[in-house]
């Protein structure tokens, strides 16, 4: 048995035959020509055919994965029209008197090397795009039909890397999973893979030869492992896990696409809580209407330095594009308490849960806050991003935030940088914010109740202290009354109110939340469909009456 480890792009388990993806890579020879103008005409004609192919791919992707994800093929068409790219091809043809294939291949190598030398991960990922469009033009020049999948049965595809055009052309009925030896988490291919819901791993270093091709394989997308020629015990274990997944998928098929609306017509938004880009695929697979909580602090926790504006921008942009118009609520950094970053150099505190954390760090270190806000406002151009501020206790804090936001917008305007107009809300997770919720609702676009901290602060119980578990009651009447008060004050001000804490997934309280008028529940992706089932089967008015008679 061979074992390869890589990064997960999309979770799930796939079991089947491995097929090494055969690229129709052209062997480009340097050929002397007599007529440079005629060769340029050959190149122009091939470029036009390639552009037409990309348009067809765009149309196909538009139907399958949405406008935002299909946009890569528009980008590829723009690359074909890039002045620097075309001038390079023309210069090589005329100055060296060589064939168009060689000129395109040389230009592709030069541009790809330029991208690969850049510090930014996203820009390095563009090297694959340059090679993709160049390979397409060379294939047209050589009269080839392009690469493809040669299989009559569903298979696990193994490849060095898959270009976006190759990914979207795959017959999904023939693909169980794909595994690449190389690749980038920020590539457009990764975005498409998550959206298409194909279990996928990148950077596995898998051998692409007869030791793998045609062999039985298992892709464990959750743990980022590929097994080639697995033993009987492992195969049996993975088949059981796969059956459990398939059972969940059957539930998904019966509820997918249904509106979250009660028997008596009350609508609820069901969103997902995620911590990174990889979780987006699971959210989409479980039919989340949007992302109710994107925990941006994980961007900081995974670094040994402050994430730059560009690093954050690319992540937020990817999230927005992947969710293709669905609402994405990104919480500004919530560092502190149980989430510590050494490079923040925070002082040791006796009671960190009540110390310098979340918005308090942002307001006392505005340079860090402004970097994140700049990235968020820039990324909001690419989708439906909302911004949410944690650990608010006063109207004054919200007004300080607004002042910093205006500074950021003024700076972006002055620099000629495009930005959107995202909705801005706050987390209600302190008793102070509950008591001030009427006034706070006049200042923001929405509320999201963080029940984990709200319960902790209301009951004066450290939720990290296991010795206090018997005293910790998430159903405590005081907590439920605070939720009710917050919802009522939000509605009086004309804004919506959701729950993004663990309590939102507590099925014992779903009907109570509906009775309170909660507008949104944001939960772990796996909780979405069970909650939808309860919502679809509930008559809220009848439930209210039944409670009154008890």
């Amino acid at each position: 048995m061979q074992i390869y480890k890589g990064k997960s792009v999309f979770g799930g388990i796939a079991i089947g035959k491995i097929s090494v993806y055969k690229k129709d890579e052209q062997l480009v020879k340097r050929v002397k020509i007599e007529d440079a103008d005629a060769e340029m005409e050959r190149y122009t004609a091939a470029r036009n055919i390639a552009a037409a192919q990309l348009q067809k791919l765009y149309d196909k992707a538009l139907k399958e994965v949405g406008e935002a994800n299909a946009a890569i093929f528009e980008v590829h068409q723009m690359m074909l029209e890039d002045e620097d790219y075309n001038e390079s091809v023309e210069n090589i043809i005329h100055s060296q008197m060589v064939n168009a294939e060689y000129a395109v291949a040389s230009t592709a190598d030069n541009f790809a090397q330029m991208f690969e030398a850049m510090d930014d991960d996203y820009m390095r990922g563009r090297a694959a795009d340059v090679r993709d469009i160049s390979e397409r033009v060379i294939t047209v020049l050589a009269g080839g039909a392009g690469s493809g999948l040669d299989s009559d049965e569903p298979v696990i595809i193994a490849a060095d890397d898959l270009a976006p055009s190759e990914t979207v052309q795959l017959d999904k009925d023939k693909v169980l999973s794909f595994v690449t030896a190389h690749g980038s988490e920020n590539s457009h291919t990764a975005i498409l893979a998550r959206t298409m819901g194909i279990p996928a791993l990148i950077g596995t270093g898998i051998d692409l030869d007869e030791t793998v091709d045609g062999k039985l394989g298992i892709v464990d997308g959750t743990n980022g492992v590929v097994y080639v020629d697995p033993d009987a015990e492992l195969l049996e274990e993975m088949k059981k896990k796969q059956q459990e997944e398939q059972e969940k998928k059957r539930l998904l098929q019966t509820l997918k696409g249904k509106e979250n609306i009660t028997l008596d017509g009350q609508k609820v938004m069901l969103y997902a809580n995620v911590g990174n880009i990889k979780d987006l695929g699971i959210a989409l697979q479980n039919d989340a209407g949007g992302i109710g909580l994107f925990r941006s602090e994980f961007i900081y926790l995974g670094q040994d330095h402050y994430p730059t504006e560009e690093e954050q921008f690319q992540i937020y942009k990817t999230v927005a594009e992947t969710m293709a118009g669905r609402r994405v609520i990104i919480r500004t950094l919530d560092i502190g308490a149980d989430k510590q970053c050494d490079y923040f150099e925070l002082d040791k505190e006796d009671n960190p849960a009540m110390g310098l954390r979340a918005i308090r760090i942002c307001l006392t270190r505005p340079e860090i806050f402004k970097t994140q806000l700049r990235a968020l406002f820039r990324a909001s151009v690419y989708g439906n991003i909302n911004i949410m501020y944690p650990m608010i206790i006063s109207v004054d804090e919200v007004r300080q935030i607004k002042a910093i936001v205006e500074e950021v917008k003024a700076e972006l305007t002055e620099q000629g940088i495009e930005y959107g107009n995202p909705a801005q809300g706050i987390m209600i997770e302190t008793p102070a914010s509950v008591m001030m919720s009427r006034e706070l609702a006049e200042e923001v676009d929405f509320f999201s109740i963080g029940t984990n901290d709200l319960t902790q602060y209301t009951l004066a119980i450290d939720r990290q202290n296991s010795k206090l578990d018997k005293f910790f009651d998430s159903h405590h009447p005081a907590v439920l009354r605070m939720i009710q008060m917050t919802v009522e004050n939000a509605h009086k001000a004309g804004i919506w109110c959701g729950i993004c804490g663990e309590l939102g997934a507590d099925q014992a309280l779903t009907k109570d939340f509906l009775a309170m008028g909660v507008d949104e529940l944001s939960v772990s992706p796996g909780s979405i469909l069970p909650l939808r089932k309860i919502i679809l089967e509930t008559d809220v008015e009848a439930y209210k009456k039944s409670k009154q008679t008890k």
Side-chain angles (χ1 to χ4, degrees), residues 43-44 47-48 51 74-87 133:
Y43 168 67
T44 302
R47 190 184 68 197
N48 291 339
E74 285 189 317
V75 172
H76 280 196
Q77 289 178 69
M78 289 168 62
M79 281 184 169
L80 279 177
E81 298 300 324
D82 183 74
E83 190 174 328
D84 293 331
Y85 181 92
N86 285 298
E87 280 182 359
I133 64 164

Side-chain angles (χ1 to χ4, degrees), residues 30 65 92 147 178 193 197 200 225 232 254 263 295 318 346 384 399 411 419 424-425 448 491 501 511:
R30 189 175 190 273
V65 294
I92 292 171
S147 55
F178 73 73
V225 184
T254 61
L263 292 172
R295 303 179 181 95
T318 298
L346 297 173
N384 187 9
R399 289 177 179 164
E411 289 173 6
Y419 63 89
Q424 297 175 75
S448 188
H491 290 172
K511 291 182 180 181

Side-chain angles (χ1 to χ4, degrees), residues 480-495:
L480 298 181
R481 287 178 192 175
M482 285 196 165
I483 293 172
Q484 178 76 73
M485 183 188 300
T486 303
V487 173
E488 288 174 356
N489 283 332
H491 290 172
K492 286 175 185 175
I495 66 171

Side-chain angles (χ1 to χ4, degrees), residues 115-169:
F115 281 122
E116 285 166 348
M118 293 182 179
D119 293 332
D120 183 72
D121 284 341
Y122 179 84
M123 294 308 293
R124 282 200 296 269
R126 302 291 64 74
D129 294 334
V130 172
R131 295 189 194 281
D132 190 20
I133 64 164
S134 301
E135 190 67 39
R136 179 175 296 281
V137 174
I138 291 169
T139 299
V140 174
L141 283 165
S147 55
L149 172 63
D150 183 19
S151 177
D152 295 327
E153 61 179 309
V155 292
I156 296 168
I157 294 177
D160 181 67
D161 192 9
L162 283 173
S165 57
E166 292 169 329
T167 309
V168 82
Q169 287 179 97

Side-chain angles (χ1 to χ4, degrees), residues 189-261:
T189 306
I191 295 172
L192 287 170
R194 295 182 192 107
T195 308
M196 291 163 77
I198 301 172
L201 302 180
I202 60 170
T204 61
I206 191 167
D207 293 316
L208 302 172
D209 53 27
E210 66 280 355
T211 63
V212 168
D213 196 27
K215 300 290 179 67
L216 179 67
I218 298 174
V219 178
D220 182 351
T222 304
N223 296 306
V225 184
V226 185
Y227 303 93
V228 181
D229 265 347
D231 57 45
E233 186 180 349
L234 177 66
L235 183 60
E236 192 60 33
E237 179 189 338
M238 287 298 181
K239 280 183 176 178
K240 286 181 181 177
K241 286 186 178 180
Q242 190 180 46
Q243 285 173 357
E244 291 172 5
E245 282 190 355
Q246 287 170 349
E247 197 60 43
K248 291 177 182 177
K249 285 182 180 178
R250 276 191 278 275
L251 174 63
L252 174 67
Q253 292 308 312
T254 61
L255 297 177
K256 194 171 183 180
K258 291 191 177 181
E259 195 172 9
N260 306 307
I261 186 165

Side-chain angles (χ1 to χ4, degrees), residues 17-19 21 149 155-159 162 170 175 177-180:
K17 189 173 80 173
I18 299 173
S19 176
Y21 189 85
L149 172 63
V155 292
I156 296 168
I157 294 177
L162 283 173
L170 294 174
V175 180
S177 166
F178 73 73
V179 177
T180 65

